[in-house]
Amino acid sequence: MKSFEYGDREVGTYEVFASVANMVIGFGLLTLPRIIVQKTHSVDGWVSILIGGVSAIFFSWIVAKLISRFPKQNLYEIGGAVIGKPLALLITLMFAVYMLAFVAYETRGVASISRLYLFDRTPVEIVSLVFLLVLIYGVSGPSVTLFRLNTLFLPIVIMLIFVLLLMNISHFDFHNLMPFFVTDWRELVITSKESTFSFLGFEILLFYNSILNKPKKAVKASTLGMLIPLILYLLVFLITLGMFGAEVTASTLYPTEELAKQVEVPGGFFERFESIFFSVWILTLFNSAAMAFDVSLSAIEAVFSKAKRMALAIGLGPILFLIIMQPQNIDELQLFAEWISYAGIGVGMVIPTLLLLLAILRGVKGRA
């Protein structure tokens, strides 16, 4: 007898596809056009986004190949089989710290942009605290529930972005994209690093392998999931530059949000589309932060098997809040994001690649 598809605590390929896409689509979509055009000074930045996206897809393939080689095992168990328990413990704790820092950045980002566009009289500390409390509640249950939320929210978010782009197409000026191919190819390659930062998030599969009902199909699902943010990033970048031009985009803090402010709905039914846009966008930011928090808890539980999830979540709350409040301005927040991104490249790209190479060379495989 076939079990009810959503009646157990395992997830299928569509949930993996939606969760990888939703994890990557986050705060980067709001800031990437500005960051890229500041480095390239023209529409040539789409090449950097493409290079960064393709690189991220390649490493997501590596992560998926690694977990498919070790079905139902998390990073700690995979590392223990390949390089031994002491080193596996170290990289697992590094992964947990990285994910906690990611949660702190997402929370502070939500608070900062909420104050700018929604709650201009509400202190950042209050918005951060409320968002953090909701995150703690969100991770108190099984991890499968977060996958279900991703399958629900992803179509809404994609539809919203396409509505945003379509409603701005009448203001698109092709001349704002010119001149073409004026940036040195070396600058384009160097700038691709910035776009790679925005494609991090697929590494969550290293700790969700244990709940995948078809680990062998994770390769295809994660690769397709990474294509969604790549397409969206390219479209948003091109439309934003076509609307504002390179100079305005480079000097705008959140170009995508400003794109939403340009929307005029006939009949005046929606007077402030940017508020609607960001209100829905919080769904994606919540999913990304909640999954990062959940993965960090899973990493700690893998090392300390007797730890209680709820106690961990509540205990880490004050520490996270202190980290959230550390950046004093937007420059410090961006520097914090850069540190996290470098850490993500290390634990999400370099370490899985080394583990897969060592596993292949040594002929190590997980249990079937």
Side-chain angles (χ1 to χ4, degrees), residues 44-212:
D44 297 344
W46 72 268
V47 178
S48 299
I49 296 175
L50 184 62
I51 294 173
V54 171
S55 300
I57 290 173
F58 171 72
F59 284 105
S60 71
W61 177 84
I62 287 179
V63 169
K65 290 293 289 185
L66 178 64
I67 64 174
S68 64
R69 190 179 179 89
F70 296 86
K72 300 295 182 180
Q73 293 181 263
N74 57 40
L75 178 62
Y76 180 61
E77 294 167 326
I78 294 172
V82 177
I83 58 177
K85 286 297 178 73
L87 284 177
L89 185 146
L90 177 62
I91 62 174
T92 302
L93 292 180
M94 288 170 55
F95 198 91
V97 172
Y98 156 64
M99 280 295 171
L100 287 174
F102 184 89
V103 174
Y105 169 68
E106 289 278 306
T107 304
R108 182 56 185 271
V110 168
S112 298
I113 198 172
S114 295
R115 181 177 173 83
L116 186 61
Y117 291 102
L118 295 178
F119 315 116
D120 57 333
R121 297 184 180 181
T122 305
V124 172
E125 294 83 357
I126 299 299
V127 179
S128 298
L129 179 60
V130 171
F131 192 78
L132 181 59
L133 291 175
V134 176
L135 286 178
I136 293 174
Y137 173 76
V139 300
S140 61
S143 302
V144 178
T145 56
L146 298 178
F147 278 82
R148 304 285 189 254
L149 282 176
N150 282 314
T151 60
L152 174 65
F153 290 156
L154 182 63
I156 298 174
V157 171
I158 293 176
M159 182 180 67
L160 178 71
I161 295 173
F162 275 103
V163 168
L164 172 66
L165 298 180
L166 288 174
M167 295 186 75
N168 278 292
I169 201 69
S170 60
H171 303 292
F172 183 87
D173 186 354
F174 186 78
H175 292 89
N176 287 334
L177 301 182
M178 297 188 289
F180 303 114
F181 303 111
V182 294
T183 308
D184 186 79
W185 68 269
R186 287 181 289 265
E187 291 185 20
L188 293 175
V189 173
I190 294 172
T191 305
S192 66
K193 176 196 68 175
E194 304 292 338
S195 61
T196 302
F197 291 163
S198 296
F199 285 100
L200 290 171
F202 55 84
E203 61 272 16
I204 59 171
L205 294 178
L206 291 168
F207 275 95
Y208 284 137
N209 191 28
S210 59
I211 61 174
L212 303 185

Side-chain angles (χ1 to χ4, degrees), residues 95-359:
F95 198 91
V97 172
Y98 156 64
M99 280 295 171
L100 287 174
F102 184 89
V103 174
Y105 169 68
E106 289 278 306
T107 304
R108 182 56 185 271
V110 168
S112 298
I113 198 172
S114 295
R115 181 177 173 83
L116 186 61
Y117 291 102
L118 295 178
F119 315 116
D120 57 333
R121 297 184 180 181
T122 305
V124 172
E125 294 83 357
I126 299 299
V127 179
S128 298
L129 179 60
V130 171
F131 192 78
L132 181 59
L133 291 175
V134 176
L135 286 178
I136 293 174
Y137 173 76
V139 300
S140 61
S143 302
V144 178
T145 56
L146 298 178
F147 278 82
R148 304 285 189 254
L149 282 176
N150 282 314
T151 60
L152 174 65
F153 290 156
L154 182 63
I156 298 174
V157 171
I158 293 176
M159 182 180 67
L160 178 71
I161 295 173
F162 275 103
V163 168
L164 172 66
L165 298 180
L166 288 174
M167 295 186 75
N168 278 292
I169 201 69
S170 60
H171 303 292
F172 183 87
D173 186 354
F174 186 78
H175 292 89
N176 287 334
L177 301 182
M178 297 188 289
F180 303 114
F181 303 111
V182 294
T183 308
D184 186 79
W185 68 269
R186 287 181 289 265
E187 291 185 20
L188 293 175
V189 173
I190 294 172
T191 305
S192 66
K193 176 196 68 175
E194 304 292 338
S195 61
T196 302
F197 291 163
S198 296
F199 285 100
L200 290 171
F202 55 84
E203 61 272 16
I204 59 171
L205 294 178
L206 291 168
F207 275 95
Y208 284 137
N209 191 28
S210 59
I211 61 174
L212 303 185
N213 57 18
K214 297 176 181 178
K216 298 294 183 182
K217 294 187 177 181
V219 177
K220 181 179 179 181
S222 63
T223 302
L224 292 175
M226 290 296 294
L227 284 174
I228 297 298
L230 175 57
I231 294 171
L232 292 179
Y233 283 171
L234 286 171
L235 288 175
V236 168
F237 178 77
L238 292 173
I239 296 295
T240 302
L241 259 68
M243 278 280 297
F244 302 129
E247 292 184 2
V248 175
T249 302
S251 59
T252 304
L253 187 58
Y254 300 112
T256 310
E257 188 70 19
E258 293 299 322
L259 201 65
K261 292 179 69 174
Q262 304 301 315
V263 173
E264 296 180 2
V265 181
F269 186 70
F270 293 131
E271 293 185 359
R272 293 191 63 187
F273 185 81
E274 75 276 9
S275 297
I276 299 169
F277 171 78
F278 184 67
S279 297
V280 175
W281 198 250
I282 288 179
L283 300 177
T284 297
L285 298 176
F286 169 77
N287 277 356
S288 298
M291 294 190 76
F293 199 178
D294 185 70
V295 167
S296 65
L297 294 178
S298 299
I300 296 173
E301 288 174 328
V303 176
F304 306 103
S305 56
K306 294 184 179 181
K308 302 292 184 181
R309 170 168 283 256
M310 199 60 196
L312 274 177
I314 295 174
L316 288 171
I319 299 174
L320 272 173
F321 187 74
L322 290 175
I323 298 173
I324 292 167
M325 290 295 104
Q326 286 306 304
Q328 300 300 310
N329 50 54
I330 191 65
D331 292 329
E332 292 186 8
L333 183 61
Q334 291 174 351
L335 181 60
F336 183 43
E338 189 172 348
W339 291 347
I340 296 171
S341 299
Y342 281 118
I345 289 177
V347 301
M349 295 183 176
V350 177
I351 289 178
T353 302
L354 293 176
L355 288 176
L356 180 61
L357 289 175
L358 288 173

